[in-house]
Amino acid sequence: MRIRATVAAVSGALALSALSVPVSQASSPSFALTRAAATPVISKVVVNSGKPIVLGTTATKKVTVSVTASHSSGIEDALSYIWRGRDSNPNLYDFGFHPDGKRAKCKAANTTTSTCTLTITVDPGYLWNTNATTWRVYAGAWGKDGAFTEKDTFSSVRFQRLSRLTVNASPEPVKKGSTITVTGKLDRANWDTRKYAGYASQSVKLQFRKKNSSAYTTVKTVKGSNTGTLKTTVKAVEDGYWRWSFAGTASTPAVNATGDFVDVK
């Protein structure tokens, strides 16, 4: 992968250029790189335990990346970046997040195979709403004899904008057979403004859990307003908890409101 760090920050954010030195030279082990005939084989790369990277408006998140690789000499080190390209051409790089440290922590499974772990700090301050999409994952690995291999796009990981959901069921207490009004709001992180904003026109489930039960059941589905607000009415039947439940979208994770208990007299 041919990149050059043109803008760097403590957070690990990088602006990337398609020209200049190999990334491996910027973060390589102390020994010289070689291109041996038999290069290491990367078999697995796991980012954030296989889950999307969900970010709010300001708080950074430390993401763990593990690279599993094999070589006849053993594995000395590994490297991984999370990056976005300007288009589908893998030779054009735009922006990425790099590891916090220069060396990975490698644990050998046997004499030839190791899993190397790195930590990448992701900062929403570098993101725009359009970045809530699929990012590419670069991976490289060094054998103990200096042999090196790399792949620009070994796998991918999705970035999502943190969602929040509130609920209020009233009146409390309520007479059996009377009407309960359930309101709430669905919002999510806006990386353009660094604030939270209502998630417009989303379908959200209203769910109920009986007082002595551990399971919620869906009562109805309600579509939110253009500001993310939710409102509906139900009949009071028995004591229990009311909540809103959002299934999520590609750019926004699923979220459940904390249940609001209503005492039915």
Side-chain angles (χ1 to χ4, degrees):
M1 184 178 186
R2 309 292 173 178
I3 64 174
R4 175 169 56 90
T6 57
V7 178
V10 176
S11 68
L14 281 178
L16 306 177
S17 169
L19 303 175
S20 196
V21 300
V23 64
S24 50
Q25 292 182 10
S27 303
S28 65
S30 57
F31 54 80
L33 291 175
T34 63
R35 291 283 182 174
T39 58
V41 175
I42 300 172
S43 57
K44 188 177 183 180
V45 178
V46 179
V47 180
N48 198 37
S49 300
K51 301 176 182 178
I53 298 173
V54 180
L55 296 162
T57 56
T58 58
T60 61
K61 182 173 184 177
K62 289 189 176 296
V63 174
T64 298
V65 181
S66 64
V67 179
T68 301
S70 302
H71 190 257
S72 57
S73 69
I75 297 298
E76 177 70 18
D77 196 9
L79 181 64
S80 185
Y81 285 87
I82 303 170
W83 66 280
R84 284 268 293 154
R86 297 173 192 170
D87 56 28
S88 60
N89 186 341
N91 293 317
L92 294 176
Y93 305 109
D94 188 11
F95 183 81
F97 292 98
H98 66 83
D100 296 343
K102 292 183 178 180
R103 298 291 297 271
K105 295 180 180 179
C106 296
K107 183 176 181 180
N110 50 52
T111 57
T112 62
T113 304
S114 293
T115 296
C116 301
T117 304
L118 309 104
T119 300
I120 297 176
T121 300
V122 183
D123 187 344
Y126 291 94
L127 302 176
W128 300 96
N129 290 338
T130 53
N131 294 139
T133 185
T134 299
W135 289 51
R136 302 177 187 187
V137 179
Y138 163 91
W142 289 265
K144 289 186 177 180
D145 66 351
F148 175 68
T149 189
E150 65 180 347
K151 190 170 183 179
D152 291 339
T153 306
F154 185 91
S155 60
S156 62
V157 63
R158 179 165 287 277
F159 277 57
Q160 291 183 321
R161 296 157 60 183
L162 181 65
S163 53
R164 306 185 305 186
L165 190 54
T166 61
V167 65
N168 182 60
S170 62
E172 304 173 46
V174 64
K175 184 178 179 181
K176 186 174 182 178
S178 298
T179 298
I180 297 174
T181 300
V182 186
T183 58
K185 185 175 183 179
L186 173 66
D187 65 11
R188 60 176 177 167
N190 186 320
W191 294 337
D192 293 348
T193 63
R194 310 305 166 195
K195 298 178 181 180
Y196 282 86
Y199 197 1
S201 305
Q202 297 300 306
S203 294
V204 182
K205 295 178 180 178
L206 176 66
Q207 298 182 329
F208 177 73
R209 175 169 68 87
K210 296 179 182 180
K211 181 179 180 180
N212 297 316
S213 173
S214 60
Y216 278 92
T217 58
T218 298
V219 176
K220 63 172 73 174
T221 300
V222 175
K223 193 169 186 179
S225 71
N226 59 6
T227 60
T229 58
L230 301 158
K231 184 176 182 179
T232 191
T233 58
V234 292
K235 292 294 183 182
V237 177
E238 59 184 314
D239 294 353
Y241 298 84
W242 293 93
R243 76 174 185 185
W244 295 106
S245 179
F246 175 59
T249 61
S251 64
T252 309
V255 62
N256 294 318
T258 302
D260 187 17
F261 181 76
V262 175
D263 182 15
V264 178
K265 299 294 188 180

